[in-house]
């Protein structure tokens, strides 16, 4: 359903030390977790504290990964998948609630977002090897095991049951958004008032740079991925981007992206980038993922129902469209 671009969002300006009266330090570290790159930036009173808290964040993300990653055979999600069509599986409340929220997104997007996309057959190839479109029969078969309505949750027993053999669930980038938000809340509880956790384009941002200025976040130009098309100055918010501009094919003059509509099996068309701002990275990720599949009209219609969240859409033709509630004063063309 969604594959992250390498760096669709990234920090533009970083200060290492502020020389104000209340000097603080900024420490950064990059690592690979949950199948993707995490860039962690923490502002603290001293280097030791900052590094220790980065260690705490990495440990928490690793814990979440071991709990929900469908590619780890020992995770609870893998156990759910292994018992598809056989029996319900009891999971921790954390996994149950995350699944419940993912199903909520599936319902409000009418399947444009669907955590059972993990069972989809990978019949579309975006490595240059595909010379013709898959047949309608092959496409239909590829999503035969996909369908959020076949996921049964039992809140009393905290179980998840997949009705069909061969079904699978996987949180993908939604899990990354969940992890960044949870780690942000953990840092705030520890008294860390400023930082950024960037999970390959899913960012939880809080506080300011050491000099008190907002963080500057760059949005990749989808037509020139090495360039920045705009910058957003942010203090306390989440920002996520979904993009289809790195992997796509053309058939009969039409562009087909690597982001597949889980309800139909066909690639999403019309949009090449969606950036969403809001208070929660998990929710923002669900919206950016869904918007890519829904297309411009339905995506804006969906976001308008949630005034805490706003978006920037970039169409395949290069047009930039902002939702009505987008805080335009935060956006500036990058020079």
């Amino acid at each position: 359903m969604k594959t992250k671009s390498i760096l669709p969002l990234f920090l533009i300006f970083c200060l290492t030390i502020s020389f104000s009266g209340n000097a603080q330090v900024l420490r950064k570290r990059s690592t690979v977790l949950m199948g993707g790159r995490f860039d962690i930036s923490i502002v603290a009173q001293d280097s030791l504290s900052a590094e220790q808290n980065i260690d705490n964040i990495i440990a928490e993300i690793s814990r979440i990964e071991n709990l929900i990653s469908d590619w780890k055979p020992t995770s609870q999600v893998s156990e759910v998948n292994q018992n598809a069509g056989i029996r319900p599986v009891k999971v921790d409340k954390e996994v149950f609630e995350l699944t419940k929220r993912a199903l909520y997104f599936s319902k409000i997007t009418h399947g444009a977002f669907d955590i059972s996309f993990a069972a989809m057959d990978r019949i579309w190839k975006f490595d240059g090897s595909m010379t013709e479109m898959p047949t309608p029969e092959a496409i239909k078969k590829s999503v035969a095991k996909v369908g959020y309505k076949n996921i049964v949750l039992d809140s009393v027993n905290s179980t998840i049951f997949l009705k069909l053999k061969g079904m699978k669930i996987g949180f993908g980038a939604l899990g990354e958004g969940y992890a960044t938000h949870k780690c942000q809340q953990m840092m705030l509880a520890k008294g860390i008032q400023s930082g950024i956790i960037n999970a390959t384009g899913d960012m939880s941002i809080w506080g300011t740079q050491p000099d008190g200025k907002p963080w500057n976040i760059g949005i990749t130009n989808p037509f020139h991925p090495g360039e920045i098309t705009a910058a957003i100055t942010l203090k306390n918010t989440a920002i996520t981007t979904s993009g289809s501009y790195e992997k796509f094919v053309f058939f009969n003059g039409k562009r087909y992206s690597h982001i597949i509509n889980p309800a139909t099996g066909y690639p999403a068309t019309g949009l090449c980038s969606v950036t969403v701002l809001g208070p929660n990275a998990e929710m923002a990720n669900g919206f950016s993922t869904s918007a890519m599949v829904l297309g411009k009209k339905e995506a804006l219609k969906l976001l308008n129902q949630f005034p805490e969240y706003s978006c920037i859409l970039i169409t395949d033709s290069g047009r930039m469209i902002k939702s009505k509630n987008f805080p335009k004063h935060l956006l500036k063309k990058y020079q």
Side-chain angles (χ1 to χ4, degrees):
M1 181 166 55
K2 179 183 182 183
T3 302
K4 280 288 185 181
S5 300
I6 296 174
L7 280 176
L9 293 171
F10 48 93
L11 190 62
I12 299 174
F13 307 120
C14 269
L15 303 178
T16 53
I17 298 179
S18 170
F19 294 100
S20 63
N22 297 315
Q24 291 185 314
V25 298
L26 171 64
R27 288 293 178 265
K28 300 178 289 179
R29 197 185 308 172
S30 297
T31 187
V32 176
L33 293 163
M34 302 181 79
R37 174 173 164 173
F38 276 75
D39 295 295
I40 304 164
S41 303
I42 291 295
V43 177
Q45 294 296 327
D46 56 78
S47 297
L48 179 61
S49 174
E51 294 293 346
Q52 287 176 338
N53 279 291
I54 291 175
D55 288 340
N56 291 336
I57 289 171
I58 291 174
E60 176 64 2
I61 297 170
S62 297
R63 183 193 69 80
I64 294 171
E65 179 178 13
N66 288 323
L67 198 62
I68 70 171
S69 293
D70 58 293
W71 62 84
K72 287 184 175 289
T74 57
S75 73
Q76 292 188 10
V77 168
S78 289
E79 186 180 357
V80 170
N81 292 341
Q82 291 157 9
N83 286 279
I86 301 172
R87 65 175 180 86
V89 173
K90 187 176 181 63
V91 297
D92 290 356
K93 182 179 179 182
E94 183 177 7
V95 177
F96 186 89
E97 292 299 326
L98 181 58
T99 305
K100 185 177 178 181
R101 293 193 299 273
L103 285 178
Y104 169 73
F105 263 107
S106 299
K107 291 174 183 176
I108 65 174
T109 62
H110 304 290
F113 178 94
D114 194 326
I115 60 167
S116 66
F117 81 97
M120 188 186 305
D121 293 335
R122 305 300 193 264
I123 62 172
W124 293 86
K125 308 296 182 183
F126 300 93
D127 57 3
S129 64
M130 190 167 62
T131 58
E132 60 182 10
M133 285 184 63
T135 65
E137 293 77 17
I139 293 171
K140 183 178 180 180
K141 183 181 177 182
S142 72
V143 293
K145 302 294 185 181
V146 178
Y148 69 93
K149 293 181 181 179
N150 289 314
I151 301 173
V152 180
L153 301 184
D154 182 341
S155 58
V156 175
N157 296 302
S158 190
T159 61
I160 303 172
F161 178 51
L162 310 181
K163 288 184 179 180
L164 305 178
K165 283 193 175 183
M167 277 192 74
K168 295 178 182 179
I169 59 173
F171 294 102
L174 187 77
E176 295 176 357
Y178 167 68
T180 68
H181 181 71
K182 197 167 191 306
C183 289
Q184 174 196 357
Q185 298 305 304
M186 181 178 73
M187 288 295 99
L188 287 170
K190 288 177 174 288
I192 300 299
Q193 298 299 313
S194 186
I196 297 180
I197 305 171
N198 177 11
T200 325
D202 287 345
M203 288 189 180
S204 287
I205 300 168
W206 69 104
T208 62
Q209 297 185 65
D211 61 357
K213 294 180 180 179
W215 301 98
N216 293 281
I217 307 302
I219 300 176
T220 296
N221 184 332
F223 301 99
H224 301 282
E227 300 176 4
I228 299 170
T229 189
I232 306 178
T233 56
L234 299 172
K235 287 186 178 180
N236 298 296
T237 193
I239 179 171
T240 72
T241 286
S242 298
S244 67
Y245 43 84
E246 290 184 327
K247 297 179 181 179
F248 53 87
V249 292
F250 277 96
F251 289 122
N252 300 319
K254 189 173 183 179
R255 180 180 180 275
Y256 294 89
S257 79
H258 72 289
I259 296 180
I260 309 297
N261 184 333
T264 67
Y266 283 86
T269 60
L271 296 175
C272 63
S273 176
V274 176
T275 297
V276 175
L277 273 68
N280 184 310
E282 180 191 328
M283 287 280 288
N285 177 275
F287 285 129
S288 62
T289 300
S290 305
M292 284 295 301
V293 173
L294 288 169
K296 177 185 69 174
K297 182 179 178 181
E298 292 301 317
L300 291 173
K301 183 178 177 181
L302 173 66
L303 265 295
N304 285 338
Q305 299 176 47
F306 297 86
E308 289 183 305
Y309 293 84
S310 58
C311 68
I312 297 174
L313 313 178
I314 301 180
T315 68
D316 286 345
S317 64
R319 182 185 177 196
M320 180 183 286
I321 302 167
K322 297 179 283 291
S323 59
K324 292 180 180 179
N325 63 335
F326 189 87
K328 296 180 180 62
H329 65 284
L330 299 179
L331 184 68
K332 58 183 179 181
K333 186 173 178 60
Y334 183 69
Q335 303 294 333

